[in-house]
Amino acid sequence: MQIRHLDQDDVEIFRRIRLEALHHEPQAFASTEADWARLPVAEWQARLAANAVFVALDGDEPVGIMGSMRQRASRMAHRATIIMVYVRREARGSGVARQLLARLTEHARSDGIRMLELVARADNGTAIRFYEREGFREIGCVPGGLLDGEEEVDEILMARHIDGRAAPIQTLQGAPR
């Protein structure tokens, strides 16, 4: 398995795995397949330029994706949010997600990021447990933060320092789960 940092010339790989993710796991993302399918090539390139995007390749075949979006405000630029996480069903449990996260973390750290953050659906226990094993801690909950059709789904906010701090992130007392 090769983990590759995508650049603006990798639009076709990016487009293929991102649309696959939105098609096969629509409930996992805030965006829809339709939102992304209509984007012009220039917008796909702009998103690759604005964010760090990594893909897991099995040969030439993309089987997973993970990106990070850095905060833009100068006093928050030490933080990045993990976005677009997807691993093809047949590759799950093989360590692909861990490899993607390790590569993303390495890149973020070298780019001056001190803290990674993410949002997971509260009903996605598999994802939450994965991130907890990787050192992320729950720091809050957004009740009804995501609409799945007409159903409001709670979102769990998680974070992890990646700058070598010994002290873990403090979680909210009594945060609903």
Side-chain angles (χ1 to χ4, degrees):
M1 192 70 52
Q2 175 192 7
I3 306 299
R4 194 163 128 216
H5 185 190
L6 299 181
D7 63 32
Q8 293 179 46
D9 294 332
D10 295 314
V11 169
E12 190 48 44
I13 293 170
F14 180 38
R15 189 175 196 283
R16 208 162 93 217
I17 192 69
R18 180 64 174 150
L19 291 177
E20 176 184 316
L22 293 165
H23 180 78
H24 290 293
E25 302 289 341
Q27 75 290 350
F29 301 101
S31 298
T32 66
E33 183 179 11
D35 293 337
W36 282 71
R38 66 175 171 251
L39 295 176
V41 170
E43 181 60 25
W44 286 89
Q45 290 172 321
R47 292 181 187 209
L48 281 172
N51 304 299
V53 179
F54 298 88
V55 68
L57 293 165
D58 185 1
D60 290 334
E61 189 63 26
V63 297
I65 187 172
M66 185 179 292
S68 67
M69 181 173 57
R70 186 180 203 142
Q71 293 289 333
R72 304 253 188 267
S74 61
R75 293 173 40 173
M76 295 170 60
H78 66 289
R79 297 166 46 196
T81 302
I82 294 174
I83 56 174
M84 298 185 290
V85 179
Y86 169 75
V87 175
R88 215 177 252 173
R89 198 168 291 279
E90 61 269 18
R92 293 178 190 168
S94 68
V96 171
R98 179 171 282 124
Q99 290 175 49
L100 282 164
L101 181 58
R103 182 65 181 90
L104 181 144
T105 301
E106 173 188 310
H107 175 81
R109 195 178 286 125
S110 72
D111 203 27
I113 300 295
R114 296 180 183 187
M115 186 183 313
L116 290 175
E117 305 166 9
L118 63 95
V119 176
R121 286 176 62 117
D123 59 2
N124 189 345
T126 301
I128 292 168
R129 286 187 299 278
F130 167 74
Y131 291 117
E132 287 174 340
R133 283 191 307 272
E134 296 300 316
F136 286 83
R137 296 293 169 252
E138 181 179 334
I139 58 170
C141 176
V142 180
L146 185 71
L147 284 178
D148 193 354
E150 290 300 312
E151 179 188 359
E152 291 185 3
V153 179
D154 294 350
E155 292 183 306
I156 301 299
L157 309 174
M158 302 182 85
R160 174 182 156 208
H161 282 287
I162 62 169
D163 62 353
R165 290 176 185 241
I169 291 174
Q170 297 298 312
T171 59
L172 295 175
Q173 296 293 329
R177 187 86 188 258

